[in-house]
């Protein structure tokens, strides 16, 4: 494990975390906005936020409005399928970027440490046991609908693939569906 990843896992200033939330917001909203525009649907207005928590909330509410517009315009199943496809690619790009910036290796410990750093930025706490990742707290879920969570979880799945090209993650349960925690299965391809 390298120094940069270790340092980020131990501490990150709130202003840097807020800047990273902005990066995630910009990339995810761009993917959703492109999908809305391609289908002739109106792009919802964004709201701002000054601090870290306010930016998280604003991002989550913006995601929800975009997902609702897609579901209203395209129907639930089609909107979620198209949204997940676009957002998975966005997640991969975010993951590849974080891999370079944090010097993440292909080691599973590096992957999990990088995921902890990224999830902490978003206000998400999780544990891993074997190949099961469980999210116990998610600041975004307070503002997400079930459809929003189902669509946006594709970003997380893509990030894992971007952080480690052989790694895959797939959510099986969501807090927003009434589950006591989000549950995702981790696997490694080619091993």
């Amino acid at each position: 494990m390298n120094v940069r990843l270790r340092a980020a896992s131990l501490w990150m200033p709130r202003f840097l975390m807020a800047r990273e939330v902005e990066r995630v917001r910009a990339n995810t909203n761009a993917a959703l906005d492109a999908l809305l525009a391609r289908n002739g649907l109106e792009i919802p207005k964004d709201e701002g936020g000054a601090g870290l928590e306010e930016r998280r909330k604003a991002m989550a509410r913006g995601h929800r409005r975009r997902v609702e517009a897609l579901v209203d315009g395209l129907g639930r199943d089609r909107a979620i399928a198209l949204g997940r496809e676009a957002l998975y690619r966005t997640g991969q790009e975010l993951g590849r970027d974080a891999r370079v910036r944090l010097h993440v290796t292909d080691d599973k410990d590096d992957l999990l440490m990088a995921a902890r750093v990224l999830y902490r930025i978003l206000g998400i706490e999780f544990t891993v046991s074997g190949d099961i990742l469980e999210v116990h707290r998610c600041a975004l879920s307070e503002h997400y609908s079930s459809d929003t969570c189902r669509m946006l979880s594709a970003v997380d799945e893509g990030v894992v693939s971007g952080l480690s090209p052989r790694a895959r993650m797939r959510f099986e349960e969501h807090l927003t569906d009434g589950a006591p925690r989000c549950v995702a299965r981790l696997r490694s391809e080619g091993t």
Side-chain angles (χ1 to χ4, degrees):
M1 180 173 317
N2 69 74
V3 175
R4 186 174 290 187
L5 180 56
R6 167 76 69 195
S9 73
L10 295 173
W11 182 76
M12 183 179 292
R14 291 177 66 79
F15 79 90
L16 283 180
M17 292 171 68
R19 188 171 71 191
E20 291 304 311
V21 168
E22 231 4 76
R23 178 192 309 265
V24 172
R25 183 203 60 76
N27 283 278
T28 52
N29 283 356
L32 292 169
D33 290 351
L35 192 53
L36 286 161
R38 270 197 310 275
N39 288 282
L41 301 170
E42 186 175 335
I43 298 170
K45 298 243 188 272
D46 276 328
E47 58 184 75
L52 177 59
E53 288 80 14
E54 293 78 23
R55 286 180 189 214
R56 286 178 185 150
K57 289 177 192 176
M59 178 181 72
R61 288 191 293 251
H63 287 159
R64 183 178 181 145
R65 285 193 304 274
R66 284 166 171 80
V67 169
E68 288 169 352
L70 285 165
V71 168
D72 288 347
L74 303 175
R76 183 178 184 272
D77 292 342
R78 184 164 182 247
I80 290 174
L82 291 173
R84 284 186 55 79
E85 182 181 327
L87 290 168
Y88 184 84
R89 287 190 308 268
T90 298
Q92 283 182 308
E93 292 169 17
L94 289 167
R96 284 190 289 265
D97 180 62
R99 179 180 171 91
V100 170
R101 290 188 298 131
L102 295 173
H103 301 278
V104 178
T105 68
D106 286 336
D107 182 75
K108 184 177 180 182
D109 290 338
D110 268 17
L111 168 66
L112 294 177
M113 186 169 289
R116 284 190 199 293
V117 169
L118 299 174
Y119 266 179
R120 188 176 73 231
I121 289 166
L122 297 175
I124 299 171
E125 297 171 6
F126 71 92
T127 57
V128 175
S129 178
D131 66 345
I132 301 296
L133 180 144
E134 294 183 351
V135 173
H136 302 280
R137 181 187 163 286
C138 176
L140 306 177
S141 70
E142 300 168 18
H143 308 282
Y144 277 3
S145 65
S146 176
D147 289 343
T148 306
C149 189
R150 192 166 310 285
M151 192 182 293
L152 269 293
S153 64
V155 175
D156 302 42
E157 294 165 6
V159 165
V160 166
S161 174
L163 284 170
S164 180
R166 292 190 330 223
R168 298 293 177 266
M169 180 172 77
R170 178 72 176 189
F171 278 92
E172 298 172 350
E173 297 179 37
H174 298 89
L175 287 164
T176 55
D177 290 332
R181 64 198 164 278
C182 293
V183 176
R185 187 164 306 276
L186 295 164
R187 64 183 172 84
S188 181
E189 293 183 341
T191 59

